[in-house]
């Protein structure tokens, strides 16, 4: 109830409102209802107002039609009909734009305004219903009929209680609202007519025209009273909520004002004592800036930002934001470098001590240091260590930092999806901070650290941008001299940082980002290397981490048994877990006071670790017609792959199962088509393909498998099935096939050879073009393996299938 003009309840015919009595009695209501309404009356359309019987409201009239109507009716002292518009935005409403139920009104006063408009005071008298509009010009005239209102009986207790509740809620709203004068309570209490009370409250409520029109059109007074009370209760709750919020805000403002006054008093006291904390803080920043090694641009930028801080009021929130920014500029190591150690023999010694094998990466680091030593100004390249998990990619970065005598930083990029994590947020945002790169440089205190970007292939993207795109500038040796962070708003030199990225799968890296990095492949370890790593690194580490200080004797033979029977991986992470389990077993015995195991043997290992998980002679179980073993590359190293085939009566349909990708399915189709094409060469009845269905299956169907490497393996399995000739024992294949019968080279040769070693494979068939890849592998990995290099599928069949 926002419109609280008490004159809304005045009635009568006096020319001066001050003479009117502020109440409506039951007799007054009867008099209004007894007024005779002509059959045809002029109609005044109202935009945003609904007139209720008995209510007095002021209206400003500006339309030409409406002005003509008011002038004529006021002279003739005629009543008019008031109808609200269905669409308030309609400037010139037509007959069908008006509601059908309205209120007969009497014009009490008329005021002519200077702008030509009229302001009238009208009083609603009784409802009417429009039968039809009979005249449109110069204004609307309508044929109307009486609208009957159905009132409850006088002794209706429920209605009396309803009216009493309505009166109480209306009075509570008047008391709660600061915008309604308290005199309005007197008006509400002095309305005797229940019907007029409902009309008066309805007229003054904060409701849309549509809601008020619904109330006007409701013939039953009881129901209309319920509708009004429902809206009043909603309005009361909303008002109470607003008052509660305003009270809370006022209280918070009072606290802030109090804090401000206290701070001003404190500032005055400090000035009287000759102490200014904030000025002292700024002076300290100036002194600290004198020791910085920044260039002219950064120096001028800092002075400008410090001057801005000095001019700001320390009590405002922006002061803290600006101070944090200035402190970040001061804390960053601008042109502050650690001295590199160019003793190449020492570097080689540290790398060999911390990591067994990995000759290529060690050679690359030594090369980099040698060139840096000679030139002195070489920008650091971006290295990406690519290989399966657990081969030492991340720990290698730490060894490089130690060898170079540089600071070491590691940032895990796995799952990062917001580009602001890399480039930072603009300092205008609440809680803004630099990106992870600048933050890490700030913590290290050096502009030339070894920076390891771990799991760069696991960057993701979402609506907040693509972090891998944000890294393009950072990892480009031609651009990172002025790396732009959104928070700093000034370039920072990253050209002296040695970035080392690690990745398991290069296919997950954006091509543009991959192009900026030098890829160094780190393959897995063979059994001999794992044995050496276990003795030198894994076992001592497991003992220290589990608090075992007693002797831990375990033979090389026993370690090899653990490697072959309880792990199947390229790296040594799973092997480390096994030794930790053995160490924990010893720790339990020590804690209980039991006798510990002095010398671990195979039976001790089996009693602690359980039955062996993997069988080295796994290929022996697959010596069946139509079954061949392939070698596959995976992001976690190499693995062996079984290809199973079957043939049954049918119509030449080819079925492929085992969660295979598109490329692998195409290889299966190619293999079958090649056999059809060469059926005469291998004495195969061509009708066999039309009268039989073929099924190719790769076990472990839950694991997705794809790639062209299994091409010759699928061909071998199908040929073995059709010719009824088994594949030679302990033999595996890898290579891509063509429809012309050529064998093409594939990648991941070292990982596949290691997988063959782990599975006990003795012979490997691969493309002749892959011979260079085999020659590039150390001889220790090739020990015990025989390689068959082939150019055509005919050679494959001759090599791999038994004669019978």
């Amino acid at each position: 109830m926002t419109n609280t003009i008490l004159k809304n309840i005045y009635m009568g015919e006096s020319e001066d409102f001050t003479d009117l009595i502020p109440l409506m009695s039951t007799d007054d209501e009867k008099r209004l209802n007894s007024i005779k309404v002509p059959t045809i009356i002029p109609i005044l359309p109202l935009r945003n107002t609904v007139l209720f019987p008995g209510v007095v409201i002021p209206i400003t009239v500006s339309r030409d039609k409406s002005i003509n109507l008011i002038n004529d009716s006021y002279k003739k002292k005629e009543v008019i009909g008031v109808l609200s518009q269905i669409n308030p935005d309609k400037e010139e409403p037509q007959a069908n734009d008006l509601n059908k139920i309205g209120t007969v009104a009497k014009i009490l006063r008329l005021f002519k305004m200077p702008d030509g408009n009229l302001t009238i005071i009208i009083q609603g008298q009784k409802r009417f219903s429009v039968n039809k509009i009979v005249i449109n010009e110069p204004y609307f005239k309508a044929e109307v009929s009486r609208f009957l209102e159905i009132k409850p009986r006088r002794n209706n207790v429920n209605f009396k209680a309803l009216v009493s509740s309505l009166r109480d809620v209306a009075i509570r709203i008047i008391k709660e609202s600061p915008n309604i004068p308290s005199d309005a309570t007197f008006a509400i209490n002095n309305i005797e007519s229940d019907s007029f009370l409902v009309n008066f409250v309805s007229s003054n409520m904060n409701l849309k025209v549509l809601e008020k029109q619904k109330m006007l059109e409701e013939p039953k007074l009881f129901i209309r009273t319920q509708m009004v009370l429902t809206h009043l209760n909603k309005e009361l709750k909303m008002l109470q909520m607003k008052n509660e919020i305003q009270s809370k805000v006022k209280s918070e403002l009072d606290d802030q004002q109090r804090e401000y006054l206290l701070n001003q008093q404190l500032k005055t006291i400090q000035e009287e004592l000759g102490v200014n904390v904030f000025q002292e803080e700024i002076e300290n920043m100036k002194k600290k800036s004198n020791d910085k090694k920044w260039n002219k641009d950064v120096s001028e930028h800092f002075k400008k930002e410090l001057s801005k801080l000095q001019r700001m009021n320390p009590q405002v929130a922006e002061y803290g934001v600006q101070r944090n920014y200035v402190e970040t500029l001061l804390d960053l190591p601008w042109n502050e470098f650690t001295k590199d150690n160019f003793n190449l023999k020492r570097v080689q010694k540290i790398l060999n001590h911390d990591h067994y094998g990995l000759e290529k990466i060690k050679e690359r680091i030594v090369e980099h240091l040698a060139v840096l030593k000679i030139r002195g100004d070489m920008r650091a390249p971006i290295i990406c260590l690519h290989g399966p998990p657990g081969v030492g990619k991340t720990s290698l970065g730490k060894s490089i930092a130690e060898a170079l005598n540089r600071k070491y930083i590691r940032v895990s990029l796995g799952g990062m999806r917001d580009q602001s994590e890399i480039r930072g947020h603009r300092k205008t945002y609440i809680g803004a901070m630099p990106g992870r790169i600048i933050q890490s440089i700030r913590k290290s205190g050096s502009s030339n650290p070894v920076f390891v970007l771990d799991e760069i292939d696991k960057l993701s993207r979402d609506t907040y941008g693509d972090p891998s795109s944000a890294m393009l500038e950072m990892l480009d040796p031609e651009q990172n001299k002025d790396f732009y962070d959104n928070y700093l708003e000034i370039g920072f030199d990253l050209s002296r940082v040695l970035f080392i990225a690690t990745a398991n799968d290069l296919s997950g890296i954006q091509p543009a980002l991959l192009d900026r990095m030098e890829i160094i492949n780190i393959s897995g370890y063979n059994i001999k290397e794992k044995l050496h790593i276990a003795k030198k690194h894994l076992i001592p580490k497991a003992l220290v981490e589990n608090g075992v200080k007693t002797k831990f004797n375990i033979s090389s033979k026993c370690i090899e048994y653990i490697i072959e029977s309880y792990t199947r991986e390229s790296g040594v992470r799973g092997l480390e877990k096994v030794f930790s389990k053995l160490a924990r077993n010893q720790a339990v015995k020590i804690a209980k006071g039991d006798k510990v195991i002095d010398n671990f043997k195979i039976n001790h290992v089996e009693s602690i670790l359980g039955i062996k998980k993997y069988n080295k002679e796994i290929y022996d179980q697959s010596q069946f017609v139509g079954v061949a073993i392939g070698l596959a590359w995976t992001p976690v190293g190499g693995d062996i792959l079984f290809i199973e085939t079957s043939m049954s009566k049918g119509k030449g349909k080819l079925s492929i199962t085992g969660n295979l990708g598109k490329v692998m399915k195409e290889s299966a189709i190619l293999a079958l088509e090649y056999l059809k094409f060469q059926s005469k060469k291998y004495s195969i009845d061509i009708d066999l393909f039309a009268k039989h269905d073929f099924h190719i299956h790769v076990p472990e169907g839950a694991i997705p498998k794809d790639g062209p490497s299994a091409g010759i393996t699928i061909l071998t399995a199908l040929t073995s099935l059709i010719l009824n000739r088994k594949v030679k024992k302990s033999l595996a294949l890898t290579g891509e096939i063509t429809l012309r019968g050529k064998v093409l080279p594939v990648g991941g040769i070292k990982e596949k050879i290691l997988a063959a070693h782990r599975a006990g494979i003795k012979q490997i068939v691969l493309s002749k073009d892959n011979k260079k890849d085999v020659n590039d592998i150390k001889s220790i990995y090739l020990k015990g393996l025989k390689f068959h290099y082939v150019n055509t599928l005919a050679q494959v069949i001759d090599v791999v299938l038994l004669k019978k």
Side-chain angles (χ1 to χ4, degrees):
M1 294 171 63
T2 56
N3 183 3
T4 60
I5 303 173
L6 294 181
K7 293 174 184 177
N8 281 6
I9 64 165
Y10 286 100
M11 61 167 292
E13 300 180 10
S14 172
E15 295 295 321
D16 188 357
F17 280 108
T18 56
D19 297 333
L20 302 177
I21 302 170
L23 61 84
M24 175 180 274
S25 63
T26 308
D27 293 337
D28 295 326
E29 184 184 0
K30 287 180 180 178
R31 184 180 60 77
L32 286 178
N33 287 332
S34 63
I35 293 172
K36 291 184 179 180
V37 180
T39 307
I40 296 175
I41 57 174
I43 299 296
L44 175 67
L46 298 184
R47 281 178 186 268
N48 297 303
T49 308
V50 176
L51 179 65
F52 288 84
V55 177
V56 177
I57 59 172
I59 294 173
T60 299
V61 181
S62 58
R63 296 169 180 160
D64 292 336
K65 277 186 176 183
S66 301
I67 292 173
N68 291 335
L69 182 150
I70 296 302
N71 286 330
D72 290 351
S73 300
Y74 189 71
K75 288 176 184 177
K76 298 175 184 177
K77 295 186 178 181
E78 291 178 343
V79 294
I80 61 174
V82 176
L83 292 175
S84 61
Q85 292 180 199
I86 297 172
N87 181 6
D89 298 328
K90 198 91 172 189
E91 184 63 36
E92 293 294 336
Q94 301 302 314
N96 56 356
D97 294 324
L98 304 176
N99 287 300
K100 299 301 180 184
I101 306 297
T103 306
V104 175
K106 181 180 181 181
I107 302 172
L108 301 181
R109 291 291 296 270
L110 184 147
F111 304 97
K112 292 185 178 180
M113 310 305 290
D115 57 2
N117 295 337
L118 299 178
T119 296
I120 56 173
I121 308 295
I122 60 173
Q123 180 187 26
Q125 294 187 332
K126 60 196 301 185
R127 291 177 179 82
F128 69 89
S129 176
V130 176
N131 297 331
K132 61 179 179 179
I133 302 292
V134 292
I135 296 174
N136 289 325
E137 297 296 338
Y139 42 80
F140 292 120
K141 285 190 177 183
E143 180 183 309
V144 300
S145 58
R146 186 181 176 190
F147 181 89
L148 292 175
E149 182 178 34
I150 304 170
K151 295 184 178 180
R153 294 179 181 178
R154 288 185 179 179
N155 56 355
N156 190 321
V157 179
N158 292 335
F159 179 66
K160 287 182 179 179
L162 195 64
V163 172
S164 178
S165 297
L166 186 145
R167 198 184 299 269
D168 291 340
V169 174
I171 291 171
R172 284 181 63 188
I173 289 174
I174 293 168
K175 290 179 179 178
E176 290 275 349
S177 177
N179 301 321
I180 303 177
S182 55
D183 291 343
T185 305
F186 173 80
I188 293 290
N189 285 327
N190 281 275
I191 296 175
E192 293 181 359
S193 167
D194 295 339
S195 177
F196 177 68
L197 176 64
V198 175
N199 290 340
F200 173 68
V201 174
S202 301
S203 179
N204 289 286
M205 277 197 303
N206 249 342
L207 288 178
K208 294 180 179 178
V209 172
L210 180 64
E211 294 292 333
K212 289 187 177 183
Q213 184 65 30
K214 285 181 181 178
M215 293 178 182
L216 184 73
E217 292 177 1
E218 176 53 52
K220 293 183 179 179
L221 181 59
F222 189 91
I223 295 175
R224 193 161 73 251
T225 308
Q226 287 180 323
M227 292 167 68
V228 174
L229 185 59
T230 301
H231 286 295
L232 273 183
N233 281 318
K234 286 181 183 177
E235 193 167 339
L236 178 61
K237 286 181 181 178
M238 188 65 70
L239 191 59
Q240 288 173 339
M241 196 181 300
K242 284 181 181 176
N243 289 341
E244 186 179 335
I245 292 169
Q246 287 175 356
S247 175
K248 189 176 179 181
V249 170
K250 185 174 182 293
S251 174
E252 288 175 356
L253 284 172
D254 289 343
D255 291 341
Q256 288 177 4
Q257 289 169 351
R258 178 175 173 272
E259 187 178 343
Y260 175 75
L261 289 172
L262 289 173
N263 281 322
Q264 288 297 107
Q265 290 173 6
L266 179 63
K267 185 180 177 182
T268 305
I269 293 168
Q270 287 174 341
E271 286 174 354
E272 289 294 326
L273 294 173
V275 179
N276 190 328
V277 177
F278 301 110
Q279 190 60 38
E280 242 182 56
E281 190 178 61
I282 291 170
E283 289 299 324
N284 289 336
M285 288 179 181
K286 283 182 180 177
K287 288 178 184 177
K288 194 175 177 180
S289 69
N290 294 331
D291 300 328
K292 302 301 288 185
K293 298 177 183 178
W294 44 36
N295 56 37
K296 185 180 177 182
D297 291 338
V298 179
S299 178
E300 289 178 356
H301 180 74
F302 173 78
K303 288 176 182 176
K304 179 183 174 183
E305 295 298 327
L306 188 65
S307 175
K308 189 188 293 182
L309 178 69
Q310 207 165 3
R311 294 193 303 270
M312 293 175 75
N313 184 350
Q315 308 305 323
V316 300
E318 287 77 9
Y319 182 86
V321 174
Q322 184 67 12
R323 185 181 63 183
N324 289 339
Y325 177 68
V326 172
E327 286 177 348
T328 300
L329 291 176
L330 276 173
D331 291 342
L332 281 171
W334 302 89
N335 297 319
E336 295 176 22
F337 308 105
T338 54
K339 189 175 180 181
D340 288 331
N341 190 333
F342 294 114
N343 187 337
L344 301 186
K345 290 183 179 178
R346 176 180 174 272
V347 171
Q348 192 80 51
K349 186 178 178 181
I350 290 174
L351 293 176
N352 288 334
H353 177 270
D354 292 347
H355 293 83
Y356 185 76
L358 308 179
E359 279 74 16
K360 274 195 174 183
I361 181 64
K362 294 175 186 176
E363 185 182 336
R364 177 66 188 83
I365 296 302
V366 173
E367 288 173 357
H368 168 67
L369 288 178
V371 176
L372 192 61
K373 183 177 182 178
I374 294 169
R375 291 190 56 178
D377 61 347
M378 175 185 172
R379 284 175 300 194
I382 285 80
I383 296 170
C384 180
L385 304 178
H386 167 237
V391 294
K393 299 187 299 297
T394 304
S395 60
L396 193 61
K398 202 166 189 177
S399 299
I400 293 170
E402 185 185 349
L404 292 174
N405 199 26
R406 288 190 178 192
K407 297 292 181 68
Y408 171 73
I409 301 172
R410 175 185 166 273
V411 172
S412 178
L413 302 177
M416 189 181 291
R417 56 183 184 176
D418 187 352
Q419 67 166 348
S420 297
E421 291 280 338
I422 304 295
R423 284 200 175 274
H425 308 78
R426 298 200 178 278
K427 69 175 186 283
T428 51
Y429 296 131
I430 296 172
M433 61 179 70
R436 295 279 290 276
I437 308 305
I438 296 298
Q439 284 186 54
S440 301
I441 296 285
R442 179 183 180 181
K443 287 177 184 176
S444 72
S446 168
S447 288
N448 65 335
V450 173
F451 205 125
V452 175
L453 300 165
D454 216 4
E455 310 288 359
I456 198 169
D457 57 324
K458 295 174 180 63
L459 283 170
S460 56
R461 60 164 64 183
D462 67 356
T463 52
Y464 296 101
D466 183 5
S468 60
S469 297
M471 296 184 74
L472 294 177
E473 179 190 5
M474 183 185 79
L475 296 184
D476 192 336
E478 300 298 326
Q479 299 179 31
N480 61 12
K481 186 173 178 63
D482 289 303
F483 174 70
Y484 186 86
D485 186 278
N486 290 328
Y487 184 81
L488 286 186
E489 297 180 346
I490 189 170
F492 189 88
D493 186 4
L494 297 178
S495 62
R496 302 285 291 274
V497 178
L498 177 57
F499 287 105
I500 299 176
T502 71
N504 299 132
D505 184 8
L506 295 179
S507 64
I509 304 176
Q510 189 185 108
L513 185 60
L514 192 64
D515 183 60
R516 283 164 167 77
M517 299 187 290
E518 182 179 339
I519 308 300
I520 298 177
N521 292 306
I522 302 179
S523 302
Y525 302 107
N526 62 17
I527 292 177
K528 297 300 178 186
E529 288 175 330
K530 287 184 179 179
L531 177 64
H532 184 91
I533 293 168
K535 285 182 175 180
K536 191 175 180 181
H537 299 285
L538 302 184
I539 294 174
K541 182 181 177 183
L543 294 176
V544 171
E545 288 185 349
N546 292 283
V548 179
K549 297 179 181 178
T550 59
K551 288 185 178 180
F552 193 88
N553 296 324
I554 183 166
S555 65
S556 298
K557 185 179 179 182
C558 192
I559 294 173
E560 285 186 12
Y561 177 77
I562 291 172
I563 293 168
E564 292 176 350
S565 303
Y566 293 95
T567 64
R568 180 166 287 172
E569 58 180 347
S570 296
V572 292
R573 195 165 285 153
L575 186 60
E576 183 181 355
K577 293 175 184 176
V578 171
F579 287 124
S580 292
K581 186 172 178 62
L582 295 178
R584 288 196 300 271
N585 181 268
Q586 291 289 78
V588 171
K589 291 182 184 297
I590 294 169
K592 288 183 177 179
D594 297 341
K595 185 181 178 181
V596 295
I597 301 171
D598 295 328
N599 291 296
F600 273 88
K601 295 182 180 178
I602 291 176
N603 61 321
H604 294 133
V605 170
E606 288 181 342
S607 65
I608 297 170
L609 301 179
I611 60 173
K612 59 183 181 179
K613 295 180 179 179
Y614 304 104
N615 185 3
K616 184 180 177 182
E617 305 297 323
I618 191 168
Y619 63 84
D620 283 338
Q621 303 171 17
S622 61
Q623 275 232 302
F624 302 100
V625 169
V627 178
I629 301 174
L631 297 175
W633 177 91
T634 68
V636 294
D639 203 356
I640 63 170
L641 204 67
F642 290 97
I643 305 291
E644 300 174 351
T645 59
S646 68
M647 181 172 62
S648 58
K649 291 286 184 181
K651 296 181 180 180
K653 181 183 175 184
L654 175 63
S655 301
I656 305 168
T657 55
N659 200 353
L660 306 186
K662 184 179 179 181
V663 176
M664 209 161 172
K665 288 179 180 178
E666 289 174 350
S667 296
I669 296 168
L670 274 174
L672 190 62
E673 291 300 320
Y674 174 78
L675 287 175
K676 288 179 184 179
F677 177 65
Q678 297 290 347
S679 59
K680 186 178 289 186
K681 179 178 179 179
Y682 296 106
S683 301
I684 304 171
D685 185 2
I686 192 66
D687 292 336
L688 178 80
F689 297 102
K691 295 178 180 179
H692 291 82
D693 289 340
F694 295 90
H695 189 152
I696 299 173
H697 176 68
V698 182
E700 298 184 355
I703 302 171
K705 295 169 277 289
D706 200 10
S709 298
I712 63 172
T713 315
I714 295 172
L715 176 82
T716 300
L718 282 171
T719 309
S720 169
L721 175 72
I722 294 170
L723 299 181
N724 199 26
R725 290 162 59 184
K726 290 183 180 180
V727 178
K728 288 179 181 177
K729 193 175 182 181
S730 68
L731 182 142
L733 310 94
T734 182
E736 184 179 356
I737 63 174
T738 70
L739 195 57
R740 295 177 298 152
K742 296 288 183 182
V743 179
L744 302 181
V746 290
I749 297 299
K750 185 177 179 183
E751 287 81 359
K752 292 174 181 179
I753 289 173
L754 287 173
H757 252 303
R758 290 196 298 269
I761 300 294
K762 303 298 181 187
Q763 301 180 68
I764 297 177
V765 178
L766 66 169
S767 171
K768 197 170 185 178
D769 290 333
N770 279 127
K771 190 172 183 178
K772 62 181 184 298
D773 299 306
V774 176
N775 293 336
D776 199 35
I777 298 170
K778 289 175 66 176
S779 58
I780 190 171
Y781 293 99
L782 311 177
K783 192 175 180 180
L785 288 174
K786 183 181 179 181
F787 293 91
H788 300 278
Y789 300 105
V790 293
N791 277 328
T792 64
L793 296 178
Q795 292 174 339
V796 174
I797 294 171
D798 291 339
V799 168
V800 302
L801 294 183
L802 296 171
K803 298 299 179 184
K804 295 183 181 179

